[in-house]
């Protein structure tokens, strides 16, 4: 160290260095990443090397040792603070004004502290195609640095981290969410009121078997079960109805329209899984029911209890004729030779003209939507997956549906020939944001 540095100060730094192990040095190195260039930190072997770099960058000197005190505090070496004239309480008091370690770096370090060896192995396995080959990652800090070097992780882009954490541990995901909330990325400004005593009702109509020429919708029960799990997790009371005729669907809509209990609920959600044509879905009896008619039961005039409250409808059904299909992927439409008499209707024409409605369609008008006979439909599975990932981030429903579009649009059948693009239409006046559930997502519970 330079000759101008007081001998006593140098002795203090050496004493601190002597009390720090290899893991402590690695932690200090990581926390200094935003302050000192990667290249310089790569050659660090000891705490003294870090002190030297901090002094060279004028972050540390005899008169101002707070940054070092902050670093020791962050790595929980509180017993060394007295060598710099600080206590744990004094550092906490000064952090707001003098702290230099960014919230982003703090979040990553906290994350690394909670990643067990078993979790690390799982994360490395999930990211195996993105990490350098022939390089063994031995610590969480090393992994995070690798991701940063490759541009996969930045202060303003932690999405990959969120996806990995969701698969490995919801506790880890909450650390990332806390960071985003602190940054102000999770906003609830100009949002629908979602803090009532009860969230709302969600009804799921799952038509699987049909009379006449319509084929059985194998795999649809997987969708219905997933919808029930996810919307229950989101705080809704879910009711599922199986194999409803066109008349039964209308009767159900009338029953739910007249329900007085909507008064104390924040919203209403209706999911319909069936075969369909442009602007309509099939009842079990093979008769069509207009989507616009279904939604019109819940206008402010017809259902005053839901006035000014968000009403969301998710429709999994084809909106056009079936195309040639492979063995494991089926289209939610009629058999090919059964001609349609329905006039073409876009989702925006199906939605009521008044405010506070959202219609999420599995596919754009005139096209088929696809269903795996075991895993369920592309659209519903993507919707449930993105709700579980993005609701804990505080994303609004339109942002979530954009992600669903991206997910489904990227999928193809195993021959690489069939694609699908969902289409939402809405008259929402505010952001619709589900409150973040206290429990982990269903995918972490089952």
């Amino acid at each position: 160290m330079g000759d101008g540095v007081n001998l006593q100060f140098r002795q203090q730094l050496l004493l601190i260095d002597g009390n720090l192990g290899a893991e402590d040095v690695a932690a200090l190195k990581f926390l200094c990443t935003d302050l000192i260039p990667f290249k310089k930190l790569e050659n660090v072997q000891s705490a003294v090397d870090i002190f030297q770099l901090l002094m060279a960058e004028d972050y540390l000197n005899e008169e101002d040792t707070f940054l070092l005190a902050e670093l020791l505090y962050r790595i929980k070496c509180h017993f060394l603070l007295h060598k710099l004239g600080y206590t744990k309480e004094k550092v906490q008091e000064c952090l707001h004004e003098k702290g230099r370690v960014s919230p982003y770096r703090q979040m990553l370090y906290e994350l690394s502290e909670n990643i067990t060896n078993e979790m690390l192995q799982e994360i490395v396995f999930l990211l195996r195609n993105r990490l350098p080959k022939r390089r063994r990652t031995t610590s969480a800090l090393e992994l995070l640095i690798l991701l940063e070097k490759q541009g996969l992780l930045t202060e303003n882009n932690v999405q990959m981290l969120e996806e990995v954490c969701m698969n490995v541990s919801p506790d880890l995901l909450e650390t990332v969410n806390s960071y985003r909330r602190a940054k102000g990325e999770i906003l609830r400004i100009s949002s629908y009121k979602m803090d009532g005593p009860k969230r709302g009702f969600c009804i799921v109509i799952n038509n699987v078997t049909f009379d006449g020429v319509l084929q059985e919708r194998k795999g649809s029960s997987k969708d219905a079960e997933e919808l029930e799990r996810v919307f229950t997790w989101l705080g809704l009371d879910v009711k599922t109805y199986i194999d409803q005729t066109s008349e039964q669907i209308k009767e159900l809509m009338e029953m739910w329209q007249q329900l007085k209990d909507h008064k104390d609920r924040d919203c209403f959600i209706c999911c319909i899984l069936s075969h369909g044509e442009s602007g309509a879905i099939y009842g079990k009896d093979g008769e069509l029911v207009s989507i616009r008619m279904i939604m019109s039961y819940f206008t402010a005039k017809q259902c005053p209890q839901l006035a000014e409250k968000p009403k969301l409808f998710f429709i999994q059904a084809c909106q056009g004729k079936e195309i040639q299909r492979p063995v494991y992927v089926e289209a939610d439409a009629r058999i090919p030779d059964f001609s349609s008499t329905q006039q073409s209707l876009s989702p925006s024409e199906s939605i009521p003209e008044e405010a506070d409605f959202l219609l999420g369609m599995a596919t754009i008008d005139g096209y088929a939507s696809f269903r795996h006979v075991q895993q369920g439909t592309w659209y519903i599975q993507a919707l449930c997956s993105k709700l579980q990932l993005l609701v804990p981030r505080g994303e609004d429903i339109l942002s979530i549906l954009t992600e669903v579009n991206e997910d489904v649009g990227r999928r193809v059948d195993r021959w690489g020939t069939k694609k699908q693009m969902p289409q939402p239409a809405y008259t929402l006046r505010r952001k619709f944001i589900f409150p973040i559930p206290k429990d982990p997502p269903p995918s972490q519970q089952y």
Side-chain angles (χ1 to χ4, degrees):
M1 295 184 188
D3 295 334
V5 180
N6 182 281
L7 177 62
Q8 186 179 357
F9 178 52
R10 281 187 286 158
Q11 288 174 334
Q12 286 175 322
L13 296 182
L14 287 171
L15 282 170
I16 293 171
D17 172 76
N19 281 279
L20 297 173
E23 288 186 1
D24 298 321
V25 173
L28 289 175
K29 195 170 158 181
F30 182 79
L31 290 172
C32 288
T33 303
D34 298 327
L35 307 172
I36 299 168
F38 271 130
K39 211 162 190 122
K40 291 184 179 179
L41 285 170
E42 282 179 342
N43 299 320
V44 164
Q45 301 294 322
S46 67
V48 166
D49 292 340
I50 295 175
F51 302 157
Q52 188 84 287
L53 290 171
L54 290 174
M55 293 172 72
E57 299 288 337
D58 206 25
Y59 287 121
L60 176 64
N61 56 59
E62 188 178 2
E63 286 75 35
D64 185 2
T65 60
F66 184 77
L67 175 58
L68 180 52
E70 180 188 359
L71 292 170
L72 294 174
Y73 170 82
R74 300 279 182 208
I75 66 172
K76 298 181 175 59
C77 287
H78 303 142
F79 70 100
L80 294 174
L81 292 174
H82 74 279
K83 296 186 183 299
L84 298 172
Y86 282 96
T87 63
K88 177 183 171 182
E89 292 71 28
K90 182 66 176 172
V91 173
Q92 288 174 329
E93 189 182 315
C94 299
L95 274 177
H96 182 69
E97 282 186 21
K98 300 175 72 175
R100 300 297 293 266
V101 180
S102 70
Y104 166 69
R105 192 63 46 189
Q106 293 174 42
M107 178 272 293
L108 293 183
Y109 181 68
E110 182 185 341
L111 209 58
S112 73
E113 288 285 274
N114 292 310
I115 294 175
T116 64
N117 288 333
E118 185 179 347
M119 288 178 187
L120 180 62
Q121 290 174 6
E122 289 181 32
I123 295 171
V124 169
F125 178 77
L126 289 170
L127 298 174
R128 63 193 180 282
N129 294 328
R130 295 177 177 267
L131 298 174
K133 291 179 172 55
R134 301 195 198 94
R135 175 160 183 172
R136 188 163 174 268
T137 307
T138 58
S139 73
L141 290 179
E142 183 185 347
L143 174 66
L144 293 170
I145 288 290
L146 274 174
L147 294 176
E148 287 189 290
K149 282 183 175 178
Q150 292 178 276
L152 300 173
L153 178 59
T154 68
E155 185 175 2
N156 296 314
N157 183 9
V158 294
Q159 185 167 349
M160 176 181 286
L161 201 57
E162 288 172 311
E163 291 175 359
V164 168
C165 288
M166 182 179 172
N167 280 286
V168 174
S169 165
D171 292 335
L172 296 180
L173 182 61
E174 179 52 33
T175 300
V176 184
N177 288 336
S178 296
Y179 164 70
R180 288 178 61 88
R181 282 194 290 271
K183 273 192 77 182
E185 292 185 7
I186 296 182
L187 301 176
R188 289 178 177 79
I189 301 169
S190 189
S191 301
Y192 283 103
K193 182 177 176 291
M194 294 290 285
D195 57 359
K198 295 184 179 179
R199 189 72 57 240
F201 291 104
C202 170
I203 64 172
V204 178
I205 296 175
N206 180 25
N207 281 355
V208 181
T209 59
F210 298 81
D211 305 330
V213 296
L214 291 170
Q215 295 184 350
E216 180 182 351
R217 299 182 60 256
K218 296 175 183 177
S220 187
S221 294
K222 172 80 172 174
D223 285 343
E225 290 165 7
E226 194 70 8
L227 286 167
E228 183 170 352
R229 280 198 291 264
V230 170
F231 283 117
T232 298
W233 170 65
L234 291 171
L236 288 102
D237 297 313
V238 182
K239 309 288 183 185
T240 301
Y241 302 91
I242 300 171
D243 292 345
Q244 301 292 296
T245 66
S246 56
E247 283 306 311
Q248 286 174 326
I249 290 172
K250 294 172 188 175
E251 288 168 7
L252 269 179
M253 295 304 115
E254 189 172 344
M255 181 187 83
W256 283 98
Q257 171 201 65
Q258 296 172 0
L259 193 72
K260 301 298 181 186
D261 288 351
H262 288 309
K263 181 180 178 182
D264 298 322
R265 265 71 177 183
D266 296 325
C267 64
F268 174 72
I269 296 176
C270 175
C271 306
I272 301 179
L273 317 174
S274 188
H275 287 302
E277 292 290 343
S278 179
I281 55 96
Y282 280 103
K284 172 184 169 58
D285 54 352
E287 295 297 319
L288 286 165
V289 183
S290 159
I291 294 171
R292 186 182 182 90
M293 176 195 292
I294 290 171
M295 298 180 74
S296 68
Y297 280 92
F298 302 96
T299 60
K301 183 178 180 181
Q302 298 297 327
C303 185
Q305 306 282 12
L306 284 173
E308 298 188 359
K309 295 179 181 181
K311 296 158 281 278
L312 280 57
F313 292 77
F314 297 103
I315 310 293
Q316 168 54 50
C318 280
Q319 289 298 288
K321 291 185 179 180
E322 183 180 12
I323 60 174
Q324 185 179 5
R325 59 195 181 220
V327 176
Y328 291 106
V329 177
E330 297 181 347
D332 270 334
R334 299 187 297 181
I335 61 173
D337 296 331
F338 203 92
S339 63
S340 173
T341 57
Q342 280 294 111
Q343 184 180 356
S344 178
L345 283 174
S346 70
S348 59
E349 291 174 298
S350 294
I351 198 168
E353 293 174 358
E354 67 173 66
D356 307 314
F357 279 90
L358 178 140
L359 172 60
M361 301 290 292
T363 186
I364 59 176
D365 184 57
Y367 286 84
S369 60
F370 296 103
R371 169 175 36 80
H372 192 286
V373 296
Q374 293 173 328
Q375 298 170 3
T377 58
W378 294 356
Y379 177 63
I380 296 298
Q381 293 302 312
L383 174 65
C384 291
S385 173
K386 293 302 180 182
L387 283 169
Q388 293 179 81
L389 175 65
L390 300 176
V391 165
R393 279 175 40 176
E395 298 283 0
D396 69 286
I397 193 65
L398 296 181
S399 298
I400 292 172
L401 291 179
T402 300
E403 289 284 335
V404 171
N405 278 10
E406 198 273 337
D407 186 314
V408 176
R410 202 174 56 229
R411 298 188 189 205
V412 292
D413 71 303
R414 62 178 180 168
W415 285 271
T417 57
K418 309 294 188 296
K419 291 185 72 69
Q420 177 183 332
M421 178 54 69
Q423 183 176 8
Y426 60 92
T427 57
L428 298 178
R429 295 171 295 119
R430 303 186 183 96
K431 287 188 176 183
F432 179 90
I433 303 175
F434 283 108
I436 298 173
K438 293 179 182 177
D439 295 329
S443 60
Q444 299 293 325
Q445 299 178 36
Y446 296 91

